[in-house]
Amino acid sequence: MENSRYPKFTFTWIGGLVLVAGLFIGTMAVTFFGSFWKIAFRENLELKDWFLMLTNAVGFLTAIAFFDFFIVRPSTGKKLNFNFSPTNFYTYLLIFPMMLGMMFISEFITSLIPVTGPFWGKYYEYFAQLMEQLTFEPVIMIIMTVIMAPIFEEIIFRGIIQKGLMNKGVDPKRAIFYTSVIFGLIHGNPWQFVGAVLLGGVLGLVYYKTKSLLLPMLLHGFNNLCSSMLVTYTKSESFADALKISEWVILAVGIVLFSLFYYLFMKKNKVHYAENLRDNRSEP
């Protein structure tokens, strides 16, 4: 792997602090800019649909830049670089149905989490109100959830955290699990936690096997696009509600889809890319 153009950095708690610091500083910089603009020009940019999109973008970019300058370059002598190589068309025919199956499974499990009661009811009501505030202009929502979130989140969670853990010597299964749990926790609520952990496992598996961030980005975007379309046209993120079928049917279809295409992807698909100068060739 000496000829690799990708830095072999590791991820530790220090790297985590650097990511959080970068995210915080970037977000605060945009916030201060908004406050200055409000004082100088008497216009509240926070009321603009695009301002939240700008805040998220700057926060993620600053976090990635901080990790690059303070962790990767000092330890490896190389700048942060990722593999975005495409794979053969057959692989895409396997990973998207596998992802859809896990989406169905995660929906069923999420449906079991209470949304009423003295604790869960108030928590869910707050969560629902927060989501309503985020589902504003459809174009902005699509850009944020289907394009920006998959790119930035996959770079950080799969490209930095998962890869950094594996570079450190953590077993790939554990690295995928740890990364998926962290991915779920940052969503900040139990209803999205379940889906984020399960779907994060699929994203981590695909990244581990193909060594390319392009595929988990596309899968992440596919998941978010489905959620956005469901919210936009049915006011719910439920496939069962949209299709007027039982959650148990969704579960059964999800298990069949995921099991079948997981088997084909893991056992029958021989494509396994290496991160070296021969990025577009598969290992023998």
Side-chain angles (χ1 to χ4, degrees):
M1 194 69 74
E2 281 74 11
N3 63 339
S4 176
R5 59 183 174 184
Y6 303 104
K8 194 169 184 180
F9 58 87
T10 59
F11 183 81
T12 64
W13 64 271
I14 297 178
L17 290 178
V18 169
L19 283 174
V20 172
L23 180 64
F24 176 78
I25 292 175
T27 302
M28 291 304 298
V30 179
T31 302
F32 285 141
F33 172 77
S35 299
F36 165 78
W37 190 273
K38 185 176 182 180
I39 295 173
F41 301 99
R42 300 184 181 279
E43 181 182 13
N44 189 357
L45 295 180
E46 294 182 2
L47 300 178
K48 305 291 185 180
D49 290 335
W50 53 265
F51 190 76
L52 179 60
M53 181 175 66
L54 175 65
T55 303
N56 288 342
V58 173
F60 279 123
L61 287 172
T62 308
I64 295 169
F66 268 45
F67 191 85
D68 181 24
F69 283 103
F70 294 113
I71 301 296
V72 177
R73 298 193 188 199
S75 62
T76 68
K78 299 179 181 179
K79 66 180 181 179
L80 196 58
N81 193 14
F82 301 102
N83 181 6
F84 297 103
S85 301
T87 184
N88 61 323
F89 184 69
Y90 175 69
T91 301
Y92 296 97
L93 296 179
L94 300 180
I95 62 175
F96 277 92
M98 180 173 67
M99 185 67 169
L100 183 61
M102 184 56 79
M103 289 163 60
F104 287 170
I105 295 172
S106 67
E107 176 180 316
F108 176 83
I109 297 177
T110 302
S111 70
L112 301 178
I113 303 176
V115 296
T116 59
F119 173 75
W120 293 107
K122 293 181 179 180
Y123 193 7
Y124 184 77
E125 183 179 349
Y126 170 77
F127 166 66
Q129 291 176 352
L130 182 62
M131 293 304 296
E132 287 179 4
Q133 294 176 4
L134 296 178
T135 55
F136 34 73
E137 173 61 36
V139 174
I140 299 295
M141 183 178 69
I142 292 296
I143 293 175
M144 285 186 59
T145 60
V146 181
I147 300 176
M148 287 176 50
I151 292 175
F152 291 135
E153 292 180 6
E154 290 311 305
I155 286 177
I156 290 177
F157 288 97
R158 255 56 65 178
I160 291 179
I161 298 178
Q162 179 178 318
K163 181 181 178 182
L165 289 174
M166 290 192 295
N167 286 343
K168 190 182 176 184
V170 177
D171 178 76
K173 293 181 181 179
R174 291 180 178 271
I176 293 172
F177 174 74
Y178 295 153
T179 304
S180 300
V181 171
I182 297 172
F183 183 55
L185 289 174
I186 61 99
H187 284 80
N189 65 83
W191 299 277
Q192 290 184 317
F193 172 81
V194 172
V197 172
L198 294 177
L199 299 175
V202 175
L203 298 173
L205 174 67
V206 171
Y207 177 56
Y208 168 66
K209 186 164 186 181
T210 64
K211 301 298 186 293
S212 172
L213 274 178
L214 174 64
L215 278 72
M217 284 179 178
L218 292 176
L219 290 175
H220 195 152
F222 169 67
N223 171 74
N224 289 4
L225 176 62
C226 290
S227 296
S228 298
M229 297 295 287
L230 287 173
V231 169
T232 300
Y233 294 105
T234 68
K235 307 302 179 183
S236 169
E237 289 189 70
S238 171
F239 284 101
D241 290 344
L243 299 175
K244 308 299 181 184
I245 58 177
S246 168
E247 290 285 2
W248 288 97
V249 175
I250 288 292
L251 175 63
V253 174
I255 292 175
V256 171
L257 279 176
F258 177 76
S259 301
L260 173 61
F261 287 95
Y262 173 84
Y263 172 79
L264 294 174
F265 179 66
M266 296 299 295
K267 304 299 182 181
K268 298 299 183 180
N269 184 30
K270 301 302 181 181
V271 176
H272 190 102
Y273 285 87
E275 280 193 336
N276 54 36
L277 294 180
R278 297 174 295 116
D279 293 323
N280 292 318
R281 300 180 186 177
S282 60
E283 291 179 346

Tab-separated table of all heavy atoms in Angstrom, residues 207-227:
chain	number	residue	atom	x	y	z
A	207	TYR	N	-19.142	0.644	1.807
A	207	TYR	CA	-17.877	1.388	1.731
A	207	TYR	C	-16.695	0.466	1.995
A	207	TYR	O	-15.672	0.529	1.303
A	207	TYR	CB	-17.874	2.530	2.733
A	207	TYR	CG	-16.568	3.292	2.768
A	207	TYR	CD1	-16.045	3.869	1.610
A	207	TYR	CD2	-15.846	3.429	3.952
A	207	TYR	CE1	-14.844	4.555	1.628
A	207	TYR	CE2	-14.646	4.115	3.980
A	207	TYR	CZ	-14.146	4.674	2.818
A	207	TYR	OH	-12.949	5.352	2.830
A	208	TYR	N	-16.808	-0.409	2.986
A	208	TYR	CA	-15.710	-1.315	3.307
A	208	TYR	C	-15.381	-2.224	2.135
A	208	TYR	O	-14.214	-2.454	1.822
A	208	TYR	CB	-16.075	-2.155	4.530
A	208	TYR	CG	-15.141	-3.309	4.752
A	208	TYR	CD1	-13.801	-3.097	5.088
A	208	TYR	CD2	-15.586	-4.631	4.613
A	208	TYR	CE1	-12.932	-4.162	5.282
A	208	TYR	CE2	-14.734	-5.699	4.805
A	208	TYR	CZ	-13.398	-5.461	5.143
A	208	TYR	OH	-12.539	-6.517	5.322
A	209	LYS	N	-16.416	-2.722	1.464
A	209	LYS	CA	-16.166	-3.689	0.394
A	209	LYS	C	-15.710	-3.023	-0.899
A	209	LYS	O	-14.855	-3.559	-1.603
A	209	LYS	CB	-17.419	-4.530	0.131
A	209	LYS	CG	-17.146	-5.648	-0.874
A	209	LYS	CD	-18.210	-6.717	-0.871
A	209	LYS	CE	-17.802	-7.861	-1.795
A	209	LYS	NZ	-18.810	-8.928	-1.860
A	210	THR	N	-16.262	-1.879	-1.231
A	210	THR	CA	-15.922	-1.238	-2.513
A	210	THR	C	-14.787	-0.231	-2.384
A	210	THR	O	-14.197	0.147	-3.390
A	210	THR	CB	-17.136	-0.503	-3.093
A	210	THR	OG1	-17.509	0.575	-2.226
A	210	THR	CG2	-18.309	-1.449	-3.259
A	211	LYS	N	-14.510	0.246	-1.153
A	211	LYS	CA	-13.469	1.237	-0.880
A	211	LYS	C	-13.763	2.582	-1.539
A	211	LYS	O	-12.888	3.423	-1.637
A	211	LYS	CB	-12.088	0.723	-1.346
A	211	LYS	CG	-11.639	-0.581	-0.700
A	211	LYS	CD	-11.483	-0.427	0.792
A	211	LYS	CE	-10.892	-1.669	1.437
A	211	LYS	NZ	-11.792	-2.837	1.365
A	212	SER	N	-14.990	2.784	-2.007
A	212	SER	CA	-15.361	4.028	-2.678
A	212	SER	C	-16.474	4.721	-1.915
A	212	SER	O	-17.481	4.090	-1.560
A	212	SER	CB	-15.825	3.748	-4.111
A	212	SER	OG	-16.359	4.917	-4.708
A	213	LEU	N	-16.320	6.028	-1.686
A	213	LEU	CA	-17.353	6.803	-1.010
A	213	LEU	C	-18.526	7.119	-1.927
A	213	LEU	O	-19.587	7.509	-1.455
A	213	LEU	CB	-16.768	8.121	-0.479
A	213	LEU	CG	-16.115	8.089	0.898
A	213	LEU	CD1	-15.559	9.467	1.245
A	213	LEU	CD2	-17.104	7.640	1.961
A	214	LEU	N	-18.332	6.966	-3.225
A	214	LEU	CA	-19.406	7.297	-4.164
A	214	LEU	C	-20.639	6.453	-3.900
A	214	LEU	O	-21.770	6.967	-3.900
A	214	LEU	CB	-18.919	7.082	-5.602
A	214	LEU	CG	-19.989	7.263	-6.694
A	214	LEU	CD1	-20.491	8.703	-6.711
A	214	LEU	CD2	-19.438	6.871	-8.068
A	215	LEU	N	-20.461	5.172	-3.642
A	215	LEU	CA	-21.606	4.280	-3.489
A	215	LEU	C	-22.406	4.567	-2.220
A	215	LEU	O	-23.638	4.686	-2.294
A	215	LEU	CB	-21.150	2.818	-3.547
A	215	LEU	CG	-20.960	2.273	-4.966
A	215	LEU	CD1	-19.719	2.865	-5.628
A	215	LEU	CD2	-20.857	0.750	-4.968
A	216	PRO	N	-21.778	4.691	-1.049
A	216	PRO	CA	-22.590	5.071	0.121
A	216	PRO	C	-23.224	6.448	-0.012
A	216	PRO	O	-24.315	6.671	0.522
A	216	PRO	CB	-21.588	5.027	1.286
A	216	PRO	CG	-20.248	5.002	0.672
A	216	PRO	CD	-20.405	4.361	-0.665
A	217	MET	N	-22.587	7.361	-0.717
A	217	MET	CA	-23.205	8.665	-0.960
A	217	MET	C	-24.482	8.515	-1.772
A	217	MET	O	-25.512	9.129	-1.466
A	217	MET	CB	-22.238	9.598	-1.689
A	217	MET	CG	-21.149	10.176	-0.831
A	217	MET	SD	-20.047	11.248	-1.788
A	217	MET	CE	-18.922	11.802	-0.497
A	218	LEU	N	-24.440	7.693	-2.809
A	218	LEU	CA	-25.622	7.476	-3.643
A	218	LEU	C	-26.724	6.777	-2.855
A	218	LEU	O	-27.904	7.134	-2.970
A	218	LEU	CB	-25.244	6.649	-4.876
A	218	LEU	CG	-24.327	7.327	-5.893
A	218	LEU	CD1	-23.952	6.355	-7.004
A	218	LEU	CD2	-24.987	8.566	-6.483
A	219	LEU	N	-26.357	5.798	-2.037
A	219	LEU	CA	-27.346	5.097	-1.223
A	219	LEU	C	-27.953	6.025	-0.171
A	219	LEU	O	-29.163	5.995	0.076
A	219	LEU	CB	-26.696	3.896	-0.529
A	219	LEU	CG	-26.292	2.724	-1.424
A	219	LEU	CD1	-25.563	1.665	-0.614
A	219	LEU	CD2	-27.501	2.114	-2.120
A	220	HIS	N	-27.111	6.832	0.450
A	220	HIS	CA	-27.588	7.808	1.437
A	220	HIS	C	-28.560	8.790	0.783
A	220	HIS	O	-29.616	9.107	1.337
A	220	HIS	CB	-26.381	8.544	2.025
A	220	HIS	CG	-26.677	9.294	3.276
A	220	HIS	ND1	-25.725	9.538	4.244
A	220	HIS	CD2	-27.812	9.883	3.740
A	220	HIS	CE1	-26.261	10.221	5.235
A	220	HIS	NE2	-27.535	10.456	4.943
A	221	GLY	N	-28.207	9.269	-0.399
A	221	GLY	CA	-29.080	10.178	-1.123
A	221	GLY	C	-30.391	9.516	-1.507
A	221	GLY	O	-31.461	10.137	-1.460
A	222	PHE	N	-30.326	8.238	-1.885
A	222	PHE	CA	-31.531	7.481	-2.239
A	222	PHE	C	-32.468	7.374	-1.040
A	222	PHE	O	-33.688	7.596	-1.164
A	222	PHE	CB	-31.121	6.086	-2.725
A	222	PHE	CG	-32.255	5.122	-2.882
A	222	PHE	CD1	-33.222	5.318	-3.858
A	222	PHE	CD2	-32.364	4.010	-2.055
A	222	PHE	CE1	-34.278	4.420	-4.012
A	222	PHE	CE2	-33.402	3.110	-2.200
A	222	PHE	CZ	-34.363	3.321	-3.178
A	223	ASN	N	-31.919	7.065	0.132
A	223	ASN	CA	-32.730	6.979	1.347
A	223	ASN	C	-33.377	8.319	1.675
A	223	ASN	O	-34.575	8.395	1.964
A	223	ASN	CB	-31.855	6.519	2.514
A	223	ASN	CG	-32.566	6.605	3.843
A	223	ASN	OD1	-33.436	5.797	4.155
A	223	ASN	ND2	-32.218	7.601	4.654
A	224	ASN	N	-32.590	9.382	1.623
A	224	ASN	CA	-33.118	10.711	1.961
A	224	ASN	C	-34.124	11.203	0.928
A	224	ASN	O	-35.068	11.913	1.259
A	224	ASN	CB	-31.974	11.706	2.101
A	224	ASN	CG	-31.140	11.457	3.343
A	224	ASN	OD1	-31.372	10.491	4.071
A	224	ASN	ND2	-30.179	12.315	3.598
A	225	LEU	N	-33.910	10.835	-0.334
A	225	LEU	CA	-34.863	11.216	-1.368
A	225	LEU	C	-36.212	10.546	-1.120
A	225	LEU	O	-37.266	11.193	-1.243
A	225	LEU	CB	-34.327	10.831	-2.750
A	225	LEU	CG	-35.275	11.093	-3.933
A	225	LEU	CD1	-35.579	12.589	-4.056
A	225	LEU	CD2	-34.670	10.560	-5.235
A	226	CYS	N	-36.186	9.267	-0.788
A	226	CYS	CA	-37.435	8.564	-0.489
A	226	CYS	C	-38.150	9.209	0.689
A	226	CYS	O	-39.372	9.421	0.649
A	226	CYS	CB	-37.151	7.092	-0.190
A	226	CYS	SG	-36.617	6.121	-1.615
A	227	SER	N	-37.397	9.549	1.743
A	227	SER	CA	-38.006	10.183	2.914
A	227	SER	C	-38.582	11.541	2.561
A	227	SER	O	-39.693	11.893	2.988
A	227	SER	CB	-36.959	10.328	4.025
A	227	SER	OG	-36.510	9.073	4.479
